[in-house]
């Protein structure tokens, strides 16, 4: 239903009914690499990375469509956004429950079987334990390498990149979501030194993106009814909700989720996005809580009261004295140092893996993950065997703690290789146990002093080593839980010394373990506010808030002295070109012209021959081209910017080709539907090699005017590069034109010109008078 072409418009651009977003794809998941190996190669080389189009392309189609929308469209659109926020919360909550349920049950079966067997033979027990772990890890690495290469790692650097404006191919696909969920179950259930929290953020983002694009066309799970949010800009908001939902579900920390999205992953934030993200997190909290209530009655096997991260340490240290601030600051320093070292070591190892090891193929990746699983199983089984058991402390009958206690269930004091029944093995309590229980034990705030310094140091060294080598293997992996385990170990060690030193004070080792955990995460990930809130929410202890703030500030400052945060380092390593919030200092002394010095701008004429367009696209890899036209006096005029992806759609559709070298006539624009030009999120677009034209078609012409962006952002050539950077970053742009100084000014817009009439009537009189 097009109104045709309007030749009276001043710049001579035709009227389009189209509002483009992204390129369509053959299979609905993008015409990316045909094999996952090819995709993997692309991911490794960084070639699969492309900027997103967050800018609204205000071509005539867009304006016309805006004008034709009924007055109910905006409320409908807003209502749908809230509905989607609800669905993202429910979806992510359910995914988290499923992952936890599976992991807890696998771990439960593993430990139950192993403990039943070691009563007869430790060797057979070790064999069963190792094979169980190996099978789970193998399933995880097999899924990732053969089915969903983009599901490897935590996914947070890629999502951070996505929200910064760059799309890594494959990160938001349906198969990535499936790979992430099942891969996490295998890697976490298989006892590797990694967590499921980072993958849950990625899972939330995938669910959000898939919902936003109306499902997955490739797997016939899509519906036109929900395909409303087709622009990258809308998807960006949904993905932000998904990230927050992931953290909220992982830690049962809804406010922490909102702040994590705000502080760590997003580059742009608006107040109404805050409300929606807050709503999504609240929904997650309700969904997770309902599942927990249901499972507490024992309907979910081994997944019960202790089966979801929440390390409630209330009942521990109530207050702190000023003398304790010094050792707490020391924990912050240790966290900063160990966190920065972790980032550096993982950076080196990941670099080596990407350039040498993983290039050798999938088999090497599978072998590597299996080998690490074997090493992890051996260390976690054999080291506790070498420890001497300690007698169980005298426990109050109402304390709720049993000694000894079987591992894999909620409780301290694991009896492992002990000669007496009433003994426990302190190293097995943390090493030969599920991660959640190990952390709960380390955080435990009763004054039993159940860990020896020797066990804690052994665990710290070995687990740190395992966490470093496990990071970067081809399995879904989060760094939150390993970080918490490492931090709480040295925190508890410091706590033991402080207890000895300040005998008179009421000090709990568990409090120091908690501060240690916060300090390591702060030293590695460099988050402050969000981590602080997450720690408070998961430990249910508001009184320790100032102390957590202190250690986080110290550890972040110390870590920043050495290197960048974990996610930034990993993003750079993966070739994701993140734009920081601030420009580099040197940019202040450069101007826009310096940034594009020696550049020969490749332009296209308004009406171009098809063969010329093909030749330009073949010889240049650029994603945008200025379009020029002749003015009335024959002078050259830049009339806009055309995207490579849009040119490819036009070339493939062929319907806009014309015989004449003059601007197109009316009716040319209704040959396309809006949905023809929509590409699902995170899919690789078409390439020029997909275009096949006959000799005759190559000789035809194409009028680009209806399809271009007529109002790209423009800066004068002598604007400082720092200013250009801020403009580019803050507006989420993909292209910006650098032009000579303009010769005249048509007008000047001020604050008052941007207010509507009714607003203007309310403007303060002083402003009225000053603004004329
Ligand atoms: P994107 O993710 O959009 O591809 P990019 O930075 O890789 O971002 P490209 O369009 O691939 O951008 O361009 C790569 C380089 O070529 C940039 O340095 C850019 O300044 C330059 N460039 C882009 N378009 C043109 C053009 N039409 N003519 C000349 N140089 C261009
Ligand atoms: Mg490029």
């Amino acid at each position: 239903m097009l109104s045709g072409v309007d030749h009276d418009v001043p710049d001579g651009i035709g009227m389009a009914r189209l509002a483009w977003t992204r390129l369509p794809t053959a299979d609905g998941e993008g015409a990316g690499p045909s094999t996952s190996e090819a995709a993997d190669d692309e991911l490794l080389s960084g070639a699969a990375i492309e900027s997103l189009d967050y800018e609204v392309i205000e071509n005539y189609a867009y304006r016309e469509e805006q004008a034709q929308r009924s007055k109910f469209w905006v409320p409908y659109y807003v209502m749908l956004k809230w509905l989607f926020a609800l669905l993202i919360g429910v979806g992510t909550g359910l995914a988290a429950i499923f992952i936890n349920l599976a992991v807890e049950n696998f771990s439960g079966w593993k430990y139950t079987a192993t403990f039943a067997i070691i009563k007869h033979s430790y060797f057979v027990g070790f064999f069963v334990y190792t094979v169980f772990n190996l099978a789970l890890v193998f399933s995880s690495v097999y899924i990732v390498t053969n089915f969903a290469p983009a599901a490897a790692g935590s996914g947070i650097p890629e999502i951070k990149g996505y929200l910064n404006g760059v799309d890594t191919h494959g990160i938001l696909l349906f198969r990535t979501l499936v790979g992430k969920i099942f891969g996490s179950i295998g890697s976490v259930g298989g006892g590797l030194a990694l967590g499921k929290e980072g993958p849950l953020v990625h899972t939330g983002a995938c669910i959000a993106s898939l919902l936003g694009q109306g499902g997955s066309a490739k797997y016939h799970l899509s519906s036109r009814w929900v395909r409303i949010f087709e622009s990258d800009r809308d998807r960006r908001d949904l993905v932000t909700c998904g990230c927050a939902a992931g953290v909220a579900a992982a830690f049962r920390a809804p406010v922490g989720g909102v702040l994590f999205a705000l502080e760590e992953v997003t580059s742009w934030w608006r107040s109404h996005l805050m409300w929606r993200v807050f709503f999504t997190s609240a929904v997650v909290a309700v969904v997770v809580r309902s599942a927990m209530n249901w499972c507490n009655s024992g309907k979910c096997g081994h997944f019960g009261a202790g089966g979801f991260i929440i390390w409630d340490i209330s009942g521990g240290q109530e207050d702190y004295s000023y003398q304790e601030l010094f050792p707490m600051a020391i924990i912050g320093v240790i966290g900063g140092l160990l966190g920065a070292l972790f980032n550096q070591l993982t950076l080196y190892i990941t670099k080596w893996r990407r350039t040498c090891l993983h290039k050798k193929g999938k088999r090497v990746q599978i072998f590597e993950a299996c080998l690490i699983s074997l090493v992890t199983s051996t260390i976690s089984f054999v080291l506790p065997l070498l420890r001497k058991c300690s007698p169980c402390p005298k426990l109050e009958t109402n304390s709720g703690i049993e000694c000894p206690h079987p591992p894999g269930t909620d409780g301290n004091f694991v009896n492992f290789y002990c000669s007496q029944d009433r003994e426990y093995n302190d190293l097995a309590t943390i090493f030969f146990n599920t991660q959640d229980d190990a952390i709960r034990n380390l955080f435990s705030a009763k004054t039993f002093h159940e860990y020896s310094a020797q066990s804690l140091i052994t665990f710290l060294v070995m687990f740190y080593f395992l966490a470093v080598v496990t990071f970067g293997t081809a399995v879904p992996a989060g760094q939150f839980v390993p970080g918490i385990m490492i931090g709480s170990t040295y925190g508890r060690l410091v706590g033991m010394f402080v207890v000895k030193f300040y005998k008179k004070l009421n000090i709990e080792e568990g409090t120091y373990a908690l501060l240690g955990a916060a300090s390591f995460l702060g030293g590695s990930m460099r988050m402050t506010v969000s981590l602080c809130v997450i720690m408070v929410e998961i430990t249910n202890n508001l009184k320790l808030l100032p102390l957590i703030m202190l250690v986080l500030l110290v550890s972040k400052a110390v870590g920043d002295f050495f290197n960048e945060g974990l996610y930034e380092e990993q993003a750079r390593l993966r070739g994701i070109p993140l734009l920081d919030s601030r420009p580099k200092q040197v940019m202040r002394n450069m101007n826009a012209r310096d940034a594009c010095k020696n550049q020969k701008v490749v332009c296209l004429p308004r009406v171009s021959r098809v063969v010329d367009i093909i030749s330009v696209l073949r010889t240049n890899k650029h994603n945008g081209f200025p379009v020029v036209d002749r003015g009335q006096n024959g002078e050259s005029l830049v009339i806009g910017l055309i995207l490579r992806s849009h040119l490819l759609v036009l070339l493939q559709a062929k319907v806009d080709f014309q015989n004449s070298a003059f601007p197109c006539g009316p009716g040319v624009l209704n040959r396309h539907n809006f949905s023809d030009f929509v590409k699902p999120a995170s899919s690789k677009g078409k390439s020029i090699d997909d275009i096949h034209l006959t000799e005759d078609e190559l000789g035809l012409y194409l009028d680009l005017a209806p399809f271009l962006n007529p109002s790209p952002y423009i800066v004068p050539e002598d604007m400082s590069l720092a200013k250009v950077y801020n403009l580019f970053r803050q507006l989420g742009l993909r292209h910006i034109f650098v032009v000579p100084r303009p010769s005249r000014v048509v007008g000047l817009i001020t604050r008052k010109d941007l207010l509507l009439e009714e607003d203007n009537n309310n403007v303060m009189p002083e402003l009225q008078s000053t603004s004329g």
Side-chain angles (χ1 to χ4, degrees):
M1 221 200 62
L2 297 183
S3 47
V5 175
D6 180 357
H7 283 291
D8 296 335
V9 286
D11 52 2
I13 301 170
M15 185 179 281
R17 179 76 179 81
L18 306 171
W20 308 77
T21 49
R22 303 292 304 274
L23 208 62
T25 52
D27 58 2
E29 286 249 293
S34 50
T35 63
S36 53
E37 206 159 333
D40 216 6
D41 284 350
E42 275 201 343
L43 283 175
L44 289 174
S45 68
I49 289 166
E50 198 171 274
S51 301
L52 293 160
D53 295 303
Y54 285 155
E55 187 188 343
V56 177
I57 298 197
E58 290 181 337
N59 55 18
Y60 279 87
Y62 174 81
R63 288 186 210 171
E64 195 184 273
E65 197 177 87
Q66 292 281 316
Q68 283 177 358
R69 278 177 184 159
S70 78
K71 61 178 182 204
F72 299 111
W73 197 88
V74 172
Y76 172 68
Y77 176 82
V78 172
M79 194 199 74
L80 268 182
K81 277 209 157 179
W82 283 97
L83 178 68
F84 273 59
L86 174 85
L87 293 177
I88 293 166
V90 173
T92 313
L94 292 177
I97 291 162
F98 177 68
I99 293 175
N100 274 284
L101 199 95
V103 167
E104 288 294 320
N105 275 300
F106 277 127
S107 304
W109 294 330
K110 178 173 74 185
Y111 285 114
T112 312
T114 309
F115 265 76
I117 294 167
I118 57 175
K119 282 187 184 138
H120 310 289
S121 161
Y122 271 85
F123 183 74
V124 181
F126 171 65
F127 181 75
V128 169
Y129 175 72
T130 309
V131 169
F132 212 114
N133 280 339
L134 195 62
L136 284 170
V137 172
F138 177 79
S139 70
S140 172
V141 67
Y142 189 83
I143 291 170
V144 169
T145 49
N146 286 283
F147 179 66
S154 76
I156 295 179
E158 287 85 353
I159 300 296
K160 202 172 152 83
Y162 185 87
L163 295 176
N164 192 264
V166 270
D167 183 13
T168 312
H169 172 49
I171 54 156
L172 297 172
L173 299 182
F174 181 66
R175 64 190 159 118
T176 306
L177 171 66
V178 175
K180 204 90 201 182
I181 292 177
F182 287 96
S184 302
I185 293 171
S187 60
V188 181
L192 291 180
L194 43 81
K196 51 191 175 297
E197 295 64 35
L200 260 173
V201 173
H202 192 174
T203 302
C206 286
I207 291 174
S209 169
L210 285 165
L211 273 173
Q213 71 182 34
S216 168
K218 185 174 181 184
Y219 298 99
H220 307 291
L221 295 170
S222 92
S223 159
R224 285 181 73 86
W225 295 103
V226 283
R227 211 180 297 150
I228 306 293
F229 304 108
E230 293 181 305
S231 72
D232 287 336
R233 182 177 269 253
D234 285 333
R235 280 198 201 119
R236 179 178 78 190
D237 291 355
L238 295 176
V239 168
T240 307
C241 288
C243 289
V247 173
F251 294 107
R252 281 165 79 189
V255 184
V258 176
L259 293 174
F260 175 81
L262 171 67
E263 185 182 3
E264 187 53 29
V265 286
T266 56
S267 300
W268 297 279
W269 193 262
R270 302 188 307 280
S271 57
H272 40 273
L273 182 59
M274 170 77 98
W275 302 336
R276 258 197 307 277
V277 172
F278 194 62
F279 173 65
T280 309
S281 296
V283 171
V284 171
V286 173
V287 171
V288 169
R289 169 111 195 116
S290 315
M292 288 304 301
N293 285 345
W294 197 66
C295 287
N296 275 349
S297 54
K299 289 184 187 129
C300 309
H302 291 272
F303 179 61
F308 216 108
I309 289 185
I310 192 123
W311 301 299
D312 189 341
I313 57 161
S314 49
Q317 188 170 339
E318 287 286 307
D319 207 354
Y320 56 92
S321 71
Y322 291 110
Q323 289 135 289
E324 286 182 74
L325 292 182
F326 180 65
M328 285 170 182
I330 300 242
I331 290 186
V333 174
I334 299 174
L337 292 174
L338 287 183
L341 181 68
F342 183 84
N343 293 3
Q344 208 58 40
L345 291 176
T346 48
L347 187 72
Y348 290 142
I349 294 186
T350 316
K351 238 185 224 170
W352 172 73
R353 273 200 177 105
R354 292 171 73 83
T355 48
C356 304
L357 198 64
H358 286 187
K359 284 222 155 141
K360 295 192 175 133
K362 283 186 222 165
R363 285 197 185 158
V364 175
Q365 295 180 30
I366 294 176
F367 177 75
E368 182 201 22
C370 292
L371 185 68
I372 290 176
S373 165
L374 281 178
V375 173
T376 309
S377 301
T378 310
I379 289 178
S380 61
F381 193 97
V382 174
L383 280 185
L385 291 184
L386 306 177
R387 281 289 305 155
K388 264 195 6 213
C389 291
S390 321
C392 279
K394 288 201 173 57
L395 299 165
E396 291 166 26
T397 36
N398 61 354
S399 68
I401 299 174
E402 290 172 45
C403 181
H405 203 285
T409 50
D410 181 20
N412 303 21
F413 308 116
V414 171
N415 181 306
F416 184 70
Y417 205 55
C418 301
S419 52
Q420 304 292 322
D421 281 352
R422 298 278 308 149
E423 281 186 339
Y424 75 98
N425 183 326
D426 62 347
L427 191 53
T429 301
I430 39 180
F431 229 146
F432 197 62
N433 212 338
T434 62
Q435 290 171 344
D436 288 4
D437 285 332
I439 294 172
R440 204 173 285 114
N441 294 343
L442 282 165
F443 281 1
S444 64
K446 308 280 186 287
T447 45
F448 297 131
H449 314 298
E450 63 256 46
Y451 299 103
S452 64
Q454 202 185 353
S455 289
L456 290 177
I457 292 170
T458 311
F459 179 77
L460 177 62
V461 173
M462 294 319 295
F463 197 81
Y464 195 91
F465 159 75
L466 288 175
V468 168
V469 295
T470 311
F471 184 99
T473 43
V475 289
Q479 275 68 54
F480 272 103
V481 163
I484 290 175
M485 292 186 71
I486 292 168
S488 49
T489 314
Y490 67 74
R492 200 154 179 127
L493 265 170
V494 174
M496 284 169 64
F497 288 109
V498 178
V499 168
K500 282 216 171 101
F501 201 70
Y502 299 122
K503 282 198 183 91
K504 284 188 194 142
L505 298 175
N506 173 28
I507 292 170
E508 291 285 357
E509 292 168 15
T511 307
Y512 283 77
L514 164 69
L515 296 178
S519 75
F520 188 81
L521 294 180
S524 169
M525 296 171 187
R526 313 287 157 80
M527 292 181 271
T528 48
V529 184
S530 51
L531 259 181
C532 184
V533 174
I534 290 173
M535 294 310 286
V536 169
E537 283 187 293
I538 59 179
T539 55
N540 215 357
N541 196 335
L542 201 59
K543 290 189 190 112
L544 298 180
L545 183 67
L547 303 180
I548 297 175
M549 288 166 77
L550 171 77
V551 291
L552 278 173
L553 285 172
V554 174
S555 62
K556 180 176 158 53
V558 173
D560 278 343
F561 184 75
F562 293 100
N563 49 27
E564 278 190 300
L566 182 70
Y567 298 132
E568 286 81 13
E569 296 241 1
Q570 290 297 321
R572 279 190 219 300
L573 188 67
R574 277 151 220 243
I576 300 171
L578 286 184
L579 290 181
D580 291 337
S581 53
R582 274 185 304 172
K584 299 250 178 316
Q585 192 60 33
V586 52
M587 289 186 174
R588 294 185 200 287
N589 304 325
M590 295 169 71
N591 58 31
R593 176 119 201 101
D594 297 331
C596 43
K597 225 193 278 175
N598 307 327
Q599 200 179 69
K600 207 167 169 315
V601 182
V602 183
C603 297
L604 286 170
R606 173 179 171 173
V607 184
S608 305
R609 254 162 67 97
V610 172
V611 66
D612 295 336
I613 299 178
I614 299 256
S615 139
V616 164
L617 294 182
R618 268 196 206 289
T619 46
N620 300 282
K621 291 273 170 263
H622 309 318
N623 281 307
F625 302 93
V627 178
V628 285
D629 197 7
R630 294 256 157 242
Q632 277 165 354
N633 303 327
E635 77 283 12
S636 185
L637 276 180
V638 178
I639 58 167
L641 172 109
I642 185 103
L643 288 178
R644 179 188 194 87
S645 55
H646 293 181
L647 284 174
L648 290 171
V649 173
L650 293 173
L651 290 175
Q652 191 162 58
K654 300 178 189 175
V655 287
D656 305 290
F657 295 172
Q658 59 184 46
N659 288 315
S660 112
F662 296 100
C664 60
V668 72
L669 301 167
N670 55 356
R671 294 178 187 136
H672 298 282
N673 283 325
F674 174 75
S675 57
D676 290 348
F677 300 94
V678 174
K679 173 182 129 334
S682 187
S683 295
K684 199 160 190 305
K686 280 194 170 40
S687 109
I688 186 68
D689 300 325
D690 303 326
I691 308 290
H692 304 289
L693 299 172
T694 62
E695 280 293 313
D696 290 346
E697 286 164 343
L698 287 174
L700 298 176
Y701 292 86
L702 186 57
D703 183 1
L704 303 176
F707 312 107
L708 49 75
N709 176 4
S711 50
Y713 285 87
I714 288 172
V715 294
E717 58 184 327
D718 50 1
M719 183 187 265
S720 88
L721 196 57
K723 221 167 160 182
V724 177
Y725 183 99
N726 285 332
L727 192 72
F728 195 94
R729 168 70 164 64
Q730 282 162 18
L731 295 177
L733 301 182
R734 190 175 186 186
H735 297 101
I736 209 162
F737 284 177
V738 180
V739 296
R741 282 226 156 253
S743 54
R744 70 192 186 96
V745 178
V746 177
L748 213 145
I749 292 179
T750 67
R751 174 183 295 264
K752 201 178 146 215
D753 303 314
L754 297 175
L755 297 174
L756 293 177
E757 212 168 298
E758 63 265 31
D759 297 327
N760 260 331
N761 296 338
N762 297 332
V763 171
M764 286 187 299
E766 306 90 71
L767 187 58
Q768 293 264 19
S769 59
T770 49
S771 62

